[in-house]
Amino acid sequence: MSDDRVIIFDTTLRDGEQSAGIGLTTQEKLEIARQLDRLGVDVIEAGFAASSPGDFEAVRTIAREVRRPVIASLARCVLPDVDAAWEAIKDAERPRIHVFISSSDVQIMHQLRRNPEEVMEMAIASVERAKSYCDDVEFSPMDATRTDIEYLYRMLEAAIDAGATTINIPDTVGYVMPWEFRERIRMIKENVPNIDKAVLSVHCHNDLGQASGNSLAAVAEGARQVEGCINGLGERAGNAALEEVIMALETRKDHYGVETGIDTRQIYRTSKLVSDITGFMVQPNKAVVGANAFRHASGIHQDGVLKERTTFEIMDPQSIGWPSNELVLGKLSGRAGLRARLGELGYNLEQDELNEAFEAFKSLADRKPEVTDADLSALMSSQRRIADIPSVFRLEHIQVSCGNHEVPTATVTLTDPDDREVTDAATGTGPVDAVYKAINRLVNVPNRLTEYRVDAVTEGIDALGDVTIRIEKDERTYVGRGSDTDIIVASAKAYMNALNRLLATQDTRPTFDVPTS
Ligand code: KIV
Ligand code: ZN
């Protein structure tokens, strides 16, 4: 690879999945991996194969199905972990084993409870074991930014001698400042004699809000791989947000003078998909992908942008695939128009998917005459939710009565996998509570609702409402999302989505708790 090419290493499915409250199925991970492939990332860290059978399965599936990017599995510097990583990725077109071990005194003493020389030996033995399986081996000294620098030099040199082809410098606890990190990278380049035999990579956490800045400072000093997650997901405060790093490299090419292999027009869609699947909302003022990232509130700014976009915009929203809010389709639009518009937004559908999307579009256009790109992207998200989750129970009908002098009452009809219908009613403290209680009476799967959120997809009184909920059962969290012009219906869809996810993990075949018709 040329000297001015930065490798983009995505760890949304590994470090990102370690975010508290995220638990993805193999299918969901595969879908994200496919989108990361479209985005053009060079490396996908698909998981930590030895950590659980579920992770192993997900890594193996992605390794078999996603063929262009390098597929990596993480492994601790213990031989059975390395063996499991290889087992999981060996069918990949381009496999990589990524081994890591603590290198700072505080972690060596208190977490590993070993001495530094033993740790050095474990690192070397693991790199050698990984190398016996595949050429592409990455080594990370965990907590490198708080590691004694002389020890770090020795460890990096030994890892490269043992066969590591990428040397990653993690700021595991998000401790350093950009100028300190840049200096550490400079010193590593100067003092590790064989460093030119490996790609120098960085992996920054965001505890002090410096993750993207630290990654970019390292690139300015010659690092040529950046690790991060979409939407800045990851342990604690997260990792460097890849969309920020990529757009900074792109927008400030004059400064960095480097290239990536990323198709930036896929950024918005990737961010949306990750947010949809994880249920982790993107904060509105988030750089690059937040809802307000290209919104101008001040009159002076609006005036400027109308006269010349670049007066107040340093990035073109279209360059990241931002959907417009202009009317694009209406009630009379046909299948071909829908297919063409969806294609422009990056959704290339098979005929049966198009038929389903068209049905959903017609139903939306009946209620919302002006359908925008943002509506279409919300519609595609909800179609995906329906397609992805095995629909154990389906929502057929819902009717609610409420008001300031009424007891909120909901009547709900569901169907089961054998198409049997059941109806029940319940009252609640509000209409959503009544709907959820009616559904609970029918399905009877005890769970705890831990989060309920409703967002408007677009502006205006007829906007689609997008509901996200989280439910918990047996210490596992299940996310559910649903959108509709009616937020009570959207809430019911979100609950059914979460319940179906939960039911899909149960061993017993679910049935209704009441007589069916
Ligand atoms: O933050 C970290 O140090 C890591 C390593 C495993 C690379 O995630
Ligand atoms: Zn990390």
Side-chain angles (χ1 to χ4, degrees):
M1 220 168 264
S2 82
D3 229 25
D4 57 6
R5 173 73 155 74
V6 172
I7 296 165
I8 299 295
F9 177 116
D10 181 279
T11 182
T12 307
L13 298 175
R14 199 278 299 167
D15 213 319
E17 218 241 350
Q18 281 171 229
S19 313
I22 296 188
L24 305 179
T25 63
T26 296
Q27 240 358 75
E28 289 169 330
K29 288 184 186 174
L30 181 60
E31 189 164 359
I32 292 177
R34 290 204 164 112
Q35 180 56 28
L36 291 170
D37 183 10
R38 276 180 223 116
L39 177 65
V41 304
D42 301 287
V43 187
I44 295 176
E45 187 162 57
F48 183 171
S51 67
S52 70
D55 245 49
F56 181 91
E57 191 45 42
V59 177
R60 189 167 58 177
T61 306
I62 292 168
R64 288 177 177 170
E65 302 278 329
V66 183
R67 307 304 284 171
R68 183 197 54 82
V70 172
I71 305 296
S73 170
L74 186 67
R76 287 172 303 175
C77 281
V78 290
L79 302 186
D81 264 35
V82 181
D83 298 344
W86 174 245
E87 244 344 273
I89 56 162
K90 66 179 184 203
D91 295 336
E93 192 73 41
R94 302 162 68 203
R96 173 181 296 187
I97 300 176
H98 176 191
V99 293
F100 76 100
I101 194 160
S102 294
S103 57
S104 63
D105 287 345
V106 63
Q107 292 194 357
I108 289 178
M109 269 165 62
H110 298 293
Q111 197 192 11
L112 295 182
R113 300 203 169 128
R114 306 230 177 205
N115 72 53
E117 293 318 308
E118 271 180 288
V119 170
M120 186 77 77
E121 278 163 26
M122 288 167 78
I124 295 169
S126 301
V127 173
E128 282 174 351
R129 177 72 145 237
K131 197 72 181 182
S132 74
Y133 291 128
C134 74
D135 279 343
D136 191 346
V137 176
E138 174 166 336
F139 173 71
S140 291
M142 186 155 79
D143 205 12
T145 51
R146 295 192 301 165
T147 296
D148 172 75
I149 194 96
E150 295 295 332
Y151 180 71
L152 186 63
Y153 297 152
R154 277 208 293 130
M155 192 175 236
L156 299 183
E157 184 180 354
I160 298 170
D161 278 344
T165 43
T166 298
I167 286 294
N168 182 41
I169 308 299
D171 181 26
T172 304
V173 291
Y175 176 73
V176 277
M177 293 294 121
W179 51 93
E180 292 172 316
F181 196 45
R182 183 169 179 166
E183 177 59 8
R184 189 158 274 242
I185 298 295
R186 191 190 65 71
M187 287 163 72
I188 289 170
K189 286 180 70 180
E190 210 170 279
N191 292 289
V192 177
N194 52 2
I195 195 70
D196 56 328
K197 296 205 171 68
V199 173
L200 191 51
S201 166
V202 290
H203 174 111
C204 299
H205 278 268
N206 205 30
D207 299 65
L208 294 172
Q210 307 300 316
S212 298
N214 280 339
S215 308
L216 291 164
V219 171
E221 198 53 54
R224 286 296 175 263
Q225 175 175 287
V226 175
E227 304 194 356
C229 297
I230 299 299
N231 299 338
L233 293 179
E235 277 278 8
R236 307 180 311 280
N239 287 75
L242 278 184
E243 64 279 6
E244 293 174 11
V245 174
I246 292 163
M247 286 315 286
L249 295 178
E250 185 68 25
T251 310
R252 296 302 313 276
K253 248 188 198 136
D254 60 318
H255 181 70
Y256 294 103
V258 293
E259 304 282 339
T260 69
I262 296 295
D263 175 359
T264 61
R265 289 164 309 165
Q266 291 289 341
I267 286 180
Y268 175 83
R269 206 181 144 193
T270 313
S271 160
K272 182 92 180 63
L273 181 77
V274 168
S275 161
D276 259 6
I277 291 183
T278 59
F280 267 49
M281 187 194 140
V282 174
Q283 76 191 60
N285 58 331
K286 163 87 182 54
V288 183
V289 289
N292 289 353
F294 297 98
R295 255 184 178 169
H296 303 276
S298 122
I300 296 175
H301 290 206
Q302 287 172 351
D303 180 53
V305 170
L306 286 174
K307 287 175 177 150
E308 164 55 42
R309 188 187 61 75
T310 56
T311 50
F312 289 94
E313 263 176 18
I314 57 165
M315 292 171 269
D316 181 348
Q318 284 182 3
S319 70
I320 66 152
W322 195 272
S324 85
N325 260 340
E326 282 155 33
L327 159 70
V328 287
L329 295 174
K331 206 176 151 122
L332 299 178
S333 307
R335 223 171 277 254
L338 178 69
R339 184 198 279 271
R341 192 64 211 144
L342 286 174
E344 279 159 24
L345 291 175
Y347 298 97
N348 299 311
L349 306 186
E350 302 292 333
Q351 191 58 42
D352 54 337
E353 292 170 321
L354 178 69
N355 292 345
E356 280 165 24
F358 189 64
E359 286 303 308
F361 161 74
K362 278 288 178 197
S363 139
L364 174 64
D366 272 344
R367 286 165 294 145
K368 187 175 189 298
E370 301 196 340
V371 177
T372 65
D373 281 347
D375 293 322
L376 286 181
S377 123
L379 187 128
M380 290 314 294
S381 300
S382 38
Q383 286 304 105
R384 187 192 56 67
R385 284 171 216 145
I386 296 165
D388 272 10
I389 307 300
S391 221
V392 181
F393 294 125
R394 282 192 318 275
L395 179 69
E396 292 299 335
H397 186 81
I398 154 174
Q399 189 182 337
V400 173
S401 111
C402 61
N404 58 347
H405 297 296
E406 299 245 350
V407 177
T409 309
T411 308
V412 173
T413 303
L414 304 181
T415 45
D416 74 1
D418 298 325
D419 277 339
R420 292 174 308 171
E421 270 195 0
V422 285
T423 300
D424 209 336
T427 58
T429 52
V432 174
D433 187 45
V435 167
Y436 284 17
K437 285 194 170 126
I439 293 175
N440 284 345
R441 285 170 64 91
L442 292 170
V443 174
N444 194 20
V445 180
N447 66 78
R448 202 163 68 85
L449 180 69
T450 54
E451 187 183 325
Y452 172 86
R453 202 180 68 229
V454 53
D455 303 295
V457 171
T458 48
E459 288 164 4
I461 198 73
D462 62 351
L464 276 180
D466 195 10
V467 173
T468 305
I469 67 160
R470 277 175 211 277
I471 59 175
E472 262 180 31
K473 182 171 174 7
D474 301 332
E475 291 177 21
R476 266 194 74 175
T477 302
Y478 304 87
V479 178
R481 296 189 77 171
S483 47
D484 200 276
T485 46
D486 181 326
I487 59 165
I488 308 298
V489 176
S491 304
K493 286 182 180 172
Y495 191 42
M496 292 309 298
N497 185 237
L499 276 178
N500 278 328
R501 254 172 225 265
L502 186 162
L503 290 166
T505 64
Q506 311 286 295
D507 294 333
T508 48
R509 182 179 157 84
T511 49
F512 285 131
D513 207 42
V514 292
T516 51
S517 60

